[in-house]
Amino acid sequence: MSRLRTVQTRLICSDTSPAEQAGVSKDCRRPKLLSVPEPSFDYEACLADCARGEQQALHNLYDQESARLLGVALRIVRDTALAEDIVHDAFIKIWARAASYDASRGSARGWIFSVTRHLALNFMRDNARNASASEFDENALPDDSATVIADSFEYREHSGRIYNCLDLLEPARRNCILHAYVDGYSHAQIAAKLGAPLGTVKAWIKRSLSALRECMG
DNA sequence: ACGACCTTCCTATTTATTCG
DNA sequence: CGAATAAATAGGAAGGTCGT
């Protein structure tokens, strides 16, 4: 899992985390069992407190809504562990973004549910994409192991060729390609890094890619 | 080489609809 | 009637295209 996730987990699970202070079990991803909502619970005030960094507010919110949010997530992902994970992430997000909540755009409770629901939906969407990608990979892979080995060899051979082709590019353009497709930088980031205009970077990448295609055959 | 404009994708939010 | 869910919409970022 990503470094971000590690940091997030530390936020909720750390000794000083609101969730733990709230008496949430050491397995901090397990929401409490369904409880009757406090009719007088002030969600907007609670979010405002969260925005000010008051951990007790997040604790109260967790007590109040975690079970229902788990239900929402569970309906979407249909997996208790995943749903607990999503609720956990949702509270991290609520804590981090409480200041961005705007009461004029809807109820605080609606906002909290919306955050949770979207996390679950995004997870499902990403999952579907990954699943279809792996399905594709599976279908693309031939059963015959000899062919697999041959393909692997061919892949390595092409990989070597790609380095040769990269060598033929001007250093600045090669850097663009490497930053874009190896380092994962955006075009804007590459432009800033190289001190070149954005349009130039885009053009370099485009032309370099076609040069590479041509070189690779 | 450059920059304006366009398209696509992703995420967040709101609104409409369904259901208990 | 309120909660849950689905669908629609808005906004922003990234990348590509095309005229200068």
Side-chain angles (χ1 to χ4, degrees):
Chain A
M1 191 45 80
S2 66
R3 190 178 45 179
L4 174 64
R5 177 51 162 274
T6 312
V7 172
Q8 288 175 334
T9 304
R10 205 176 297 136
L11 174 67
I12 282 284
C13 294
S14 70
D15 290 337
T16 56
S17 80
E20 190 133 319
Q21 283 181 357
V24 175
S25 64
K26 195 68 187 173
D27 178 6
C28 60
R29 296 187 187 178
R30 187 137 309 179
K32 285 190 163 186
L33 290 174
L34 190 65
S35 60
V36 179
E38 291 265 352
S40 59
F41 192 84
D42 190 341
Y43 293 89
E44 287 187 23
C46 195
L47 281 182
D49 290 344
C50 285
R52 282 193 296 272
E54 291 178 22
Q55 299 182 346
Q56 182 62 34
L58 187 67
H59 155 212
N60 294 338
L61 195 58
Y62 192 90
D63 269 358
Q64 184 70 17
E65 288 297 338
S66 61
R68 254 169 290 277
L69 293 178
L70 177 66
V72 170
L74 196 53
R75 266 175 221 275
I76 296 169
V77 302
R78 302 190 183 284
D79 180 303
T80 308
L82 280 176
E84 286 170 358
D85 224 23
I86 285 162
V87 171
H88 166 258
D89 284 358
F91 273 94
I92 290 167
K93 202 162 195 173
I94 288 163
W95 173 255
R97 299 181 54 103
S100 71
Y101 163 67
D102 180 359
S104 66
R105 300 177 78 172
S107 74
R109 192 163 182 245
W111 182 78
I112 291 163
F113 273 80
S114 184
V115 167
T116 307
R117 192 171 161 270
H118 276 96
L119 277 177
L121 288 172
N122 288 341
F123 173 84
M124 292 303 282
R125 185 168 48 206
D126 289 349
N127 223 29
R129 217 181 0 244
N130 291 341
S132 61
S134 62
E135 248 172 61
F136 173 80
D137 288 343
E138 252 177 4
N139 294 337
L141 282 176
D143 290 328
D144 182 6
S145 57
T147 319
V148 172
I149 292 164
D151 284 351
S152 165
F153 178 77
E154 196 180 10
Y155 167 76
R156 282 162 186 260
E157 194 181 31
H158 278 281
S159 297
R161 277 172 61 190
I162 207 165
Y163 284 108
N164 292 336
C165 292
L166 278 168
D167 256 354
L168 298 176
L169 298 176
E170 285 176 33
R173 299 180 186 208
R174 182 169 58 237
N175 282 339
C176 279
I177 293 289
L178 292 175
H179 283 323
Y181 300 107
V182 179
D183 298 330
Y185 290 165
S186 67
H187 288 183
Q189 284 175 315
I190 295 167
K193 205 172 178 62
L194 301 182
L198 182 60
T200 305
V201 168
K202 288 179 177 186
W204 281 354
I205 289 174
K206 188 170 156 41
R207 287 173 202 143
S208 300
L209 281 178
S210 31
L212 282 176
R213 273 192 215 104
E214 207 168 310
C215 173
M216 297 285 290

